[in-house]
């Protein structure tokens, strides 16, 4: 009897231990103030998985697949047009045949579409409209990619129209040139250098470099996407780590895609020359999914200690919004009054243990309310400073300012339709704001970041003791 009780006790303890571990890995790790490698890895995995599942990446990859199909002929036309200038048009065509070995007829038809497109876009009255449509389709695809990346990074502000036009046109022109130059370099290394190599034992080294070149270029391409496309400052090391992981996965997917085309030849009787289309669409969606997943991973690694799922802005109450907005405003005001260097939104989140997503949303709201503005710092990042006079700025005025951000037309319409209701509510609402008129933002007490860290350590130790 005693032995069975001991066994039951051990089983219950084991079950409790497993539950505690699962709870820690899924949610408790966000309350752990330690910045160790283990905590970083757990948070990165946790944030990546949750972000991948919560951000609708499947739908975004489908949308980008559709945009890619729409821009496919203009994009290939742009590549072929630039390739003509370098005398590498035939090489580009050969590469397409190599990528789609079992679809010679379909590639020939696609290239005929491209040739007709270029002829129509470069003759008569169609020259201007053709070039504009070509650039529009490619630029719209890049705009969709930027929107997807900005959504992953919780960025509300987009590039200006001038920056979009200049950046996208630069990408449209530079990427094909780099691809052609890299192809030319491969041809040069495989023919000229190897044929005139004075040291025969170096030939295997050149062969290895040629084999590694596509992977290296793929890594650079992914890394540059994660570094340059989001409208925010991304650290190079995180973009490079995500880039190399995605390059490996992409090369595997591409290898499966190329080798898998021999199996679609049996469907030629059904689909004819377009038998490869279903496989192409699957490959496109997987490729976009890899790109977006890498962006999520980059975001996760860079924001692993500034993110808190417990403070998810999607489920935050109005009181929670007011509380975080007040803390952020007080932090910005205190730093300004002390004459210290303005903090970035990431630094505010880290030093004062605030969830980065909510801080981003709050700061955008403070900008829209005209309470703060951003200044460029020496390292190229942007700090936040007050945009109003702090001498007599009260908590009541602050709350009233952020509560009135947004479209006020509907409020005016409601007051017109329901006058009796608002005659009763408006005076009470006014007295609510006036009740905070004796509290100045500049006088609000804030703990130091070191005190906040100590409180988190103490709470974490108590939780470990209970467990």
């Amino acid at each position: 009897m005693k032995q069975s009780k001991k066994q039951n006790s051990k089983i219950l303890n084991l079950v409790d231990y497993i539950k505690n571990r699962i709870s820690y890995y899924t949610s408790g790790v966000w309350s752990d103030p330690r910045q160790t490698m283990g905590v970083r890895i757990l948070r990165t995995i946790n944030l990546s998985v949750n972000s991948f599942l919560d951000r609708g990446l499947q739908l975004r990859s489908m949308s980008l697949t559709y945009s890619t199909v729409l821009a496919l002929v203009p994009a290939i036309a742009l590549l072929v047009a630039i390739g003509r200038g370098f005398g590498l048009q035939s090489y580009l065509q050969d590469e397409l045949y190599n990528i789609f070995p079992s679809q010679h007829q379909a590639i020939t038809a696609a290239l005929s579409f491209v040739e007709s497109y270029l002829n129509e876009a470069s003759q008569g009255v169609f020259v201007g409209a053709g070039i504009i449509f070509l650039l529009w389709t490619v630029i719209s695809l890049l705009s969709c990619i930027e929107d997807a990346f900005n959504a992953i990074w919780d960025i509300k502000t987009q590039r200006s129209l001038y920056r979009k036009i200049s950046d996208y046109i630069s990408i449209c022109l530079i990427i094909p040139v780099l691809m052609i130059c890299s192809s030319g370099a491969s041809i040069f290394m495989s023919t000229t250098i190897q044929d005139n190599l004075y040291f025969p034992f170096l030939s295997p080294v050149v062969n290895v470099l040629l084999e590694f070149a596509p992977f290296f270029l793929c890594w650079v391409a992914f890394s540059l996407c994660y570094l340059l496309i989001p409208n925010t400052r991304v650290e190079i090391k995180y973009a490079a780590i995500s880039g190399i992981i995605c390059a490996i996965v992409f090369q595997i997917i591409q290898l499966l895609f190329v080798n898998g085309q021999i199996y679609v030849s049996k469907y030629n009787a059904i689909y004819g020359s377009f038998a490869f289309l279903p496989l192409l669409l699957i490959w496109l969606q997987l490729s976009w999914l890899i790109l977006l997943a890498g962006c999520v991973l980059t975001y996760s690694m860079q924001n692993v200690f500034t993110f808190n799922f417990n403070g998810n802005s999607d489920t935050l109450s109005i009181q929670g919004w007011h509380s975080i907005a007040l803390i952020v405003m007080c932090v910005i005001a205190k730093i300004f009054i002390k004459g210290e260097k303005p903090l970035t939104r990431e630094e505010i989140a880290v030093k004062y243990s605030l969830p980065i997503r909510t801080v981003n949303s709050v700061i955008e709201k403070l900008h829209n309310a005209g309470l703060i503005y951003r200044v460029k710092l020496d390292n190229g990042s942007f700090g936040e400073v007050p945009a109003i006079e702090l001498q007599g700025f009260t908590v009541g005025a602050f709350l009233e300012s952020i509560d009135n951000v947004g479209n006020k037309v509907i409020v005016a319409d409601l007051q017109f339709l329901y006058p009796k209701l608002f005659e009763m509510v408006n005076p009470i609402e006014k007295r609510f704001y006036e009740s905070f008129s004796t509290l100045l933002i500049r006088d609000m007490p804030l703990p130091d970041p070191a005190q906040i860290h100590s409180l988190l350590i103490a709470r974490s130790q108590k939780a470990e003791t209970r467990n």
Side-chain angles (χ1 to χ4, degrees), residues 8-174:
N8 292 335
S9 178
K10 288 181 179 179
I11 293 173
L12 291 174
N13 290 336
L14 180 61
V15 171
D16 289 339
Y17 175 79
I18 294 173
K19 286 182 178 179
N20 290 334
R21 288 295 91 190
I22 294 174
S23 177
Y24 175 77
Y25 295 148
T26 55
S27 60
V29 68
W30 299 107
S31 301
D32 194 336
R34 297 173 299 176
Q35 297 190 4
T36 61
M37 182 58 68
V39 172
R40 175 181 285 274
I41 292 173
L42 281 176
R43 283 192 173 193
T44 300
I45 295 173
N46 193 316
L47 181 55
S48 298
V49 172
N50 279 280
S51 299
F52 186 84
L53 296 176
D54 293 345
R55 293 174 181 274
L57 295 192
Q58 301 286 345
L59 293 176
R60 290 190 178 276
S61 64
M62 293 178 191
S63 174
L64 288 171
T65 300
Y66 170 78
S67 300
T68 304
V69 172
L70 181 65
L72 194 59
V73 171
I76 297 176
L78 184 64
L79 191 63
V80 171
I82 297 176
R84 284 178 178 177
F86 289 86
L88 293 173
Q89 181 180 358
S90 60
Y91 175 78
L92 293 174
Q93 293 176 359
D94 292 339
E95 282 296 307
L96 288 175
Y97 288 126
N98 291 333
I99 295 174
F100 304 97
S102 63
Q103 304 299 330
H104 192 279
Q105 185 179 356
I107 296 302
T108 303
L111 289 174
S112 67
F113 294 155
V114 170
E115 192 68 28
S116 300
Y117 183 89
L118 288 175
N119 290 335
E120 291 295 330
S122 59
Q123 294 180 3
V125 295
F126 292 101
V127 60
I131 293 174
I132 291 174
F133 180 74
L134 185 149
L135 291 176
W136 176 81
T137 51
V138 178
I139 288 174
S140 64
L141 175 61
L142 292 173
S143 181
C144 291
I145 299 172
E146 183 189 354
D147 292 342
F149 276 37
N150 286 344
I152 290 172
W153 280 85
D154 287 312
I155 299 167
K156 309 300 181 185
T157 57
Q158 296 185 346
R159 286 177 170 88
S160 63
L161 181 61
Y162 171 76
R163 279 197 61 198
K164 279 191 174 184
I165 294 173
S166 60
D167 292 353
Y168 292 169
I169 290 178
S170 299
I171 292 173
C172 291
L173 296 177
I174 291 174

Side-chain angles (χ1 to χ4, degrees), residues 343-357:
L343 298 178
T344 64
R345 56 184 65 187
E346 292 82 8
E347 290 172 336
I348 293 172
V350 172
K351 291 187 175 182
Y352 292 90
S353 189
L354 300 173
I356 184 64
R357 274 187 183 175

Side-chain angles (χ1 to χ4, degrees), residues 139-240:
I139 288 174
S140 64
L141 175 61
L142 292 173
S143 181
C144 291
I145 299 172
E146 183 189 354
D147 292 342
F149 276 37
N150 286 344
I152 290 172
W153 280 85
D154 287 312
I155 299 167
K156 309 300 181 185
T157 57
Q158 296 185 346
R159 286 177 170 88
S160 63
L161 181 61
Y162 171 76
R163 279 197 61 198
K164 279 191 174 184
I165 294 173
S166 60
D167 292 353
Y168 292 169
I169 290 178
S170 299
I171 292 173
C172 291
L173 296 177
I174 291 174
I175 288 181
V177 171
L178 289 177
M179 292 174 62
I180 293 168
C181 289
S182 65
S183 302
S186 298
I187 296 173
F188 177 76
M189 289 181 66
S190 60
T191 57
T192 307
I193 293 180
Q194 285 195 337
D195 292 342
N196 299 281
L197 205 61
Y198 295 104
F199 302 100
F201 65 88
L202 291 178
S203 183
V205 177
V206 175
N207 290 331
V208 170
L209 291 176
L210 288 173
E211 291 291 331
F212 184 73
F215 171 76
F216 176 77
L217 293 173
C218 188
W219 173 33
V220 172
F222 275 111
S223 301
L224 288 177
C225 286
Y226 302 141
L227 186 67
L228 301 178
I229 293 180
N231 191 25
T232 188
R233 184 172 175 270
V234 182
E235 295 190 25
I236 296 177
K237 58 182 179 181
Y238 300 130

